[in-house]
Amino acid sequence: QVQVVESGGGLVQAGGSLRLSCVAPRMIFSVYSPKTVNWYRQAPGEQRELVASIDSRFVESYADAVKGRFTISRNNSRKTVYLQMNSLKSDDTGHYYCNLVDGGTDLWGQGTQVTVSS
């Protein structure tokens, strides 16, 4: 049973943009849930790092490395969370994962690859 699906990754030149999508069709999206949706990324040989989060009240937070360039948003009616990535840098290269947290639920997708060429 597929519970979380990411898409939108690809190869882009430095300075370009991508929009990632995270769909969770089996999860209830409302003003109360999921409590938090996170985007993480992992570069080869590196630890997974938190990039951006959005909670059920649409409060956003970002890692310092992406502030001002990335925007996280959610559409409850579509059960989708987006990550708009602008002014991409080679350091943004990695596998991006969506993570939904709500009470005892902690869901991860398979991720989508983002490669930024310099």
Side-chain angles (χ1 to χ4, degrees):
Q1 294 179 340
V2 175
Q3 301 199 61
V4 181
V5 180
E6 302 98 329
S7 62
L11 174 63
V12 63
Q13 288 187 333
S17 298
L18 285 173
R19 188 177 80 156
L20 307 184
S21 298
C22 168
V23 181
R26 297 178 66 86
M27 173 157 276
I28 295 173
F29 273 66
S30 72
V31 295
Y32 304 108
S33 69
K35 185 174 181 180
T36 306
V37 182
N38 306 301
W39 280 100
Y40 285 82
R41 69 185 179 190
Q42 187 167 20
E46 301 290 332
Q47 289 189 331
R48 192 172 295 187
E49 63 173 343
L50 180 62
V51 174
S53 299
I54 188 166
D55 69 13
S56 57
R57 298 169 300 164
F58 295 82
V59 176
E60 306 163 28
S61 62
Y62 299 92
D64 288 343
V66 306
K67 280 181 181 176
R69 300 188 297 120
F70 290 13
T71 302
I72 190 170
S73 61
R74 61 190 277 170
N75 184 319
N76 285 351
S77 64
R78 295 185 176 183
K79 301 188 177 185
T80 303
V81 175
Y82 303 97
L83 185 67
Q84 178 67 44
M85 306 186 296
N86 299 328
S87 302
L88 283 162
K89 306 175 182 178
S90 56
D91 288 348
D92 296 318
T93 293
H95 208 72
Y96 283 68
Y97 297 90
C98 181
N99 166 233
L100 286 79
V101 180
D102 188 68
T105 298
D106 189 354
L107 300 178
W108 292 83
Q110 295 298 306
T112 184
Q113 178 67 32
V114 172
T115 303
V116 183
S117 63
S118 55

